[in-house]
Amino acid sequence: MSRQVVRSSKFRHVFGQPAKADQCYEDVRVSQTTWDSGFCAVNPKFMALICEASGGGAFLVLPLGKTGRVDKNVPLVCGHTAPVLDIAWCPHNDNVIASGSEDCTVMVWEIPDGGLVLPLREPVITLEGHTKRVGIVAWHPTAQNVLLSAGCDNVILVWDVGTGAAVLTLGPDVHPDTIYSVDWSRDGALICTSCRDKRVRVIEPRKGTVVAEKDRPHEGTRPVHAVFVSEGK
């Protein structure tokens, strides 16, 4: 007689506890833009969240300790002329955040310590090079002032934020269709991407060469996201 053995797991009896209301952010008007993004970015100082805005694109930045009900008149970062699609905090400076928008630009902002007291409309720098909306922004994990952006023009640009120049371009010959996700390896030597053509690619950006490729990693037609994990996987 066979006996069924239940696989043991150290997470088997772990349960989550919802935070209390005064430890949450309430009354935040999250963006209704139809884009496959987390719409949120957090670092050790701030929480940023893309929100609804009239007459352009905006996102909210709040200090982590400033929880509770969010005032409807809270100052926003509102320099884009179209909805914001993605935001990313700089890993080397907790006061710097980048945003990509439907207005085809990438903007880099500096948030003052303690958060905003007035709306922030002037970015530190505006990066222009995409011809269609920018849906992905990702900072280099080890090199300062290096930012990647990917647009619906099927182009990936790597920027030197200090000069505002695009130092690397991966054009539509690498990705013939919409780019769903881009992720840096932990040392910043490679990027992995997923694309609407149902392929996951590992690319060496300096040479612009595809070093590994996987066709149809998942069945179905829904967008696929690919990320690097440890040990080169």
Side-chain angles (χ1 to χ4, degrees):
M1 186 173 99
S2 64
R3 178 181 297 177
Q4 185 177 4
V5 178
V6 177
R7 182 185 176 197
S8 63
S9 170
K10 60 184 177 181
F11 302 111
R12 187 177 176 192
H13 302 293
V14 174
F15 300 94
Q17 181 68 36
K20 296 181 180 179
D22 61 352
Q23 297 175 326
C24 299
Y25 299 96
E26 291 190 300
D27 288 349
V28 178
R29 297 170 295 135
V30 181
S31 172
Q32 300 298 310
T33 302
T34 54
W35 184 254
D36 194 15
S37 167
F39 294 109
C40 181
V42 182
N43 72 5
K45 282 187 178 181
F46 300 105
M47 186 275 293
L49 192 141
I50 302 173
C51 56
E52 283 293 304
S54 58
F59 60 95
L60 172 74
V61 176
L62 292 173
L64 290 185
K66 192 176 180 180
T67 54
R69 193 174 301 276
V70 177
D71 191 327
K72 64 179 181 179
N73 296 318
V74 64
L76 303 175
V77 182
C78 50
H80 286 286
T81 58
V84 177
L85 300 180
D86 196 22
I87 48 178
W89 289 104
C90 176
H92 309 290
N93 187 335
D94 289 338
N95 294 71
V96 174
I97 187 170
S99 58
S101 168
E102 284 190 6
D103 63 11
C104 307
T105 67
V106 176
M107 293 185 180
V108 178
W109 312 84
E110 185 170 8
I111 307 299
D113 287 326
L116 300 176
V117 295
L118 294 171
L120 183 59
R121 295 185 173 88
E122 294 297 327
V124 176
I125 194 168
T126 299
L127 308 174
E128 298 179 322
H130 289 283
T131 58
K132 292 186 179 180
R133 59 184 179 173
V134 181
I136 299 169
V137 288
W139 291 93
H140 195 285
T142 59
Q144 291 192 13
N145 290 335
V146 177
L147 176 67
L148 177 151
S149 64
C152 288
D153 49 7
N154 309 337
V155 172
I156 292 176
L157 296 175
V158 179
W159 303 90
D160 180 343
V161 174
T163 63
V167 294
L168 290 169
T169 301
L170 299 175
D173 55 320
V174 179
H175 298 94
D177 212 330
T178 303
I179 301 165
Y180 285 147
S181 70
V182 182
D183 189 51
W184 290 99
S185 62
R186 294 195 174 188
D187 60 1
L190 300 171
I191 60 173
C192 70
T193 66
S194 61
C195 182
R196 194 175 181 180
D197 66 356
K198 300 182 176 60
R199 289 178 181 268
V200 170
R201 297 171 174 87
V202 177
I203 302 168
E204 186 175 333
R206 293 174 182 83
K207 296 181 180 178
T209 56
V210 178
V211 298
E213 194 169 9
K214 173 68 175 176
D215 188 26
R216 299 187 69 86
H218 296 276
E219 296 298 324
T221 59
R222 298 181 70 85
V224 171
H225 277 222
V227 297
F228 273 105
V229 292
S230 60
E231 299 176 357
K233 297 180 181 177

